[in-house]
């Protein structure tokens, strides 16, 4: 019959080696966690509209991400005085994003907004 070898005696060196190996492994895992987490694809959830209406046959949705007219984003800028302006008519300010979107629909007429272009830095 086969006899199992006797277990090696537990020495201080063996205990320290095991503790050191565990500490190195834990440190490596902690260092790599942000990298591995960043590689995971992010879910982009569309926030629920704060306001949604149909104005002159066009669908307007205002949410935390911005303003959309017929599903296309309207570039909105907030001024220092709290009013809003857009690229459609940047010479006039409006009190709320909804008022701004209605004015943009009036200005656009039957035309559609262009799909969002990259920002000046080329990133979006």
């Amino acid at each position: 019959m086969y006899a199992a070898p006797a277990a090696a005696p537990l020495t201080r060196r063996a205990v320290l080696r095991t503790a050191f190996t565990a500490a190195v492994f834990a440190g490596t895992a902690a260092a790599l966690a942000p990298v591995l987490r960043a590689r995971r694809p992010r879910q982009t959830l569309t926030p629920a509209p704060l306001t949604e209406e149909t104005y002159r046959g066009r669908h307007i949705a205002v949410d935390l991400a911005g303003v959309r007219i017929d599903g296309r984003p309207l570039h909105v800028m907030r001024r220092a005085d709290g009013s809003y302006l857009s690229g459609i008519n940047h010479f006039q300010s409006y009190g709320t994003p909804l008022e701004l979107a209605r004015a943009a629909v009036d200005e656009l007429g039957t035309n559609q907004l262009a799909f969002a272009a990259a920002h000046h830095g080329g990133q979006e």
Side-chain angles (χ1 to χ4, degrees):
M1 282 194 81
Y2 177 75
L10 193 59
T11 64
R12 185 184 333 179
R13 180 176 290 187
V15 170
L16 288 175
R17 185 182 319 129
T18 303
F20 179 75
T21 304
V24 168
F25 178 74
T28 304
L32 289 178
V35 174
L36 297 174
R37 193 173 21 253
R39 292 187 53 163
R40 236 183 298 159
R42 292 185 179 175
Q43 292 179 343
T44 55
L45 300 175
T46 305
L50 301 174
T51 305
E52 199 169 8
E53 75 174 26
T54 301
Y55 177 75
R56 294 192 177 193
R58 309 292 283 275
H59 181 259
I60 298 173
V62 179
D63 57 30
L64 296 175
V67 177
R68 294 187 174 276
I69 298 175
D70 293 335
R72 296 176 182 215
L74 173 66
H75 183 71
V76 176
M77 296 166 278
R78 184 99 189 244
R79 296 179 45 138
D81 63 1
S83 61
Y84 297 88
L85 59 96
S86 74
I88 300 292
N89 182 356
H90 56 269
F91 297 111
Q92 185 172 355
S93 299
Y94 298 92
T96 66
L98 185 59
E99 291 175 16
L100 177 99
R102 289 177 185 152
V105 167
D106 292 339
E107 188 71 28
L108 285 169
T110 59
N111 296 321
Q112 288 286 331
L113 282 171
F115 282 107
H119 293 285
H120 297 289
Q123 302 171 9
E124 185 159 277

